[in-house]
Amino acid sequence: STSAHRHRASALRFIMEGEKGYTVVDGNKIMLEVNDFVITPNSTWHEHGVEEGGKTCIWQDGLDIPLVNALEANDYAVYDGKQELVKPLNYSPITYGCAGLIPADKTWDKPYSPLFKYSWKNVYPALLEAQKVNEINPFDGIFMQYSNPLTGGHVMQTMGAAMQLLPAGFKGKAHKHTGSFVYQCAKGKGYTIINGKRFDWKERDIFCVPSWAWHEHHNLSETEDACLFNFNDLPVIEGLGLFQGRELTENNGHQQVQ
């Protein structure tokens, strides 16, 4: 287990494997499962570990350290001892992550989401339900943003995240936009063409799409869907009024592979 610490940089985690792993964020202990998405907002005390009888927990970390360091605004502190648990186990996901209901008798005054864990067991069924009633986005399939349940906005001030489902046989068209994206394949297999170069991926592979790079996603399976997790810097890009996008019009919307 790690010692409790905090820093101005925000962090997020996408769980790849393990059993009985946990995180503690500002006294809230949360159990982790594969494909869960977890946030550690800036300046929150946090620590991680695996309970007795569990298996090594591996996850993808994402932090905004380059931005915070460039602004010369980072700091770091270590907690003296272990955090005292201030809420029951899994309080945050149970209280703020169920059925669209939020507490009517509590006030949340932080600039980030009160929901610290977004459970795959809820996310994947939501994608399947959304697929039944929504047109398939020609670029991203079924594209759902992880959001602050109190505002509908991004989960944190500097980093956002999303999950997308590519239906069986999906062949996405190419577009580009400002904002950098880091992806992980959560389910299935396929490939993404980035600026004319093909990158094949399967579960647990990680790849990135730089800002303003042409990209298109393809699901290689004709019978199974594929799911891609991503985290991004859209809260900063959008907050500064810098977002723009463009769709590829030539070659029927697809890139020529170099």
Side-chain angles (χ1 to χ4, degrees):
S1 62
T2 63
S3 300
H5 58 284
R6 69 180 181 184
H7 35 72
R8 287 289 176 180
S10 298
L12 54 82
R13 314 170 200 288
F14 190 72
I15 312 304
M16 301 170 72
E17 61 180 72
E19 294 179 8
K20 295 188 177 180
Y22 67 85
T23 187
V24 183
V25 180
D26 271 350
N28 289 266
K29 183 176 181 179
I30 300 168
M31 302 305 296
L32 308 175
E33 298 180 5
V34 172
N35 284 351
D36 286 353
F37 168 59
V38 182
I39 65 171
T40 307
N42 73 342
S43 295
T44 55
W45 292 108
H46 55 284
E47 59 193 273
H48 322 290
V50 177
E51 292 194 334
E52 185 176 353
K55 295 182 179 179
T56 299
C57 194
I58 298 175
W59 57 58
Q60 176 187 14
D61 264 1
L63 293 98
D64 59 0
I65 287 177
L67 171 64
V68 178
N69 284 354
L71 296 173
E72 298 183 353
N74 210 352
D75 62 14
Y76 186 90
V78 177
Y79 194 84
D80 184 12
K82 303 291 286 185
Q83 290 184 75
E84 178 183 355
L85 300 184
V86 299
K87 297 291 185 180
L89 182 67
N90 291 324
Y91 169 84
S92 172
I94 290 174
T95 302
Y96 290 96
C98 296
L101 298 171
I102 58 175
D105 57 349
K106 293 181 175 66
T107 300
W108 180 260
D109 59 358
K110 304 293 194 300
Y112 46 79
S113 173
L115 179 56
F116 293 158
K117 183 184 83 165
Y118 297 75
S119 301
W120 176 247
K121 65 182 180 182
N122 298 328
V123 169
Y124 183 60
L127 292 168
L128 295 178
E129 290 298 298
Q131 185 180 9
K132 295 177 182 178
V133 295
N134 287 277
E135 291 186 12
I136 303 300
N137 181 297
F139 307 98
D140 290 307
I142 298 296
F143 197 41
M144 305 289 278
Q145 173 182 291
Y146 293 98
S147 66
N148 181 333
L150 301 182
T151 66
H154 292 292
V155 292
M156 293 186 291
Q157 292 168 290
T158 55
M159 292 190 294
M163 180 70 74
Q164 62 195 98
L165 180 148
L166 309 180
F170 180 80
K171 296 176 175 57
K173 292 189 174 183
H175 66 156
K176 63 181 179 179
H177 47 70
T178 48
S180 300
F181 281 56
V182 179
Y183 289 86
Q184 180 181 152
C185 175
K187 181 179 185 291
K189 60 182 179 179
Y191 64 92
T192 296
I193 303 172
I194 305 172
N195 281 342
K197 186 173 181 179
R198 173 171 165 163
F199 296 87
D200 286 83
W201 43 257
K202 59 183 183 306
E203 286 185 23
R204 304 302 155 226
D205 284 347
I206 295 171
F207 63 97
C208 63
V209 174
S211 183
W212 210 240
W214 290 110
H215 58 283
E216 58 188 88
H217 305 297
H218 294 249
N219 182 353
L220 276 172
S221 175
E222 296 294 333
T223 57
E224 299 289 335
D225 59 45
C227 293
L228 292 175
F229 164 81
N230 78 69
F231 70 92
N232 55 68
D233 56 3
L234 286 183
V236 175
I237 297 297
E238 293 171 353
L240 295 175
L242 299 175
F243 183 82
Q244 60 174 311
R246 185 174 299 169
E247 301 174 4
L248 187 67
T249 55
E250 53 268 25
N251 197 35
N252 199 28
H254 294 286
Q255 301 171 76
Q256 292 186 344
V257 179
Q258 300 171 0

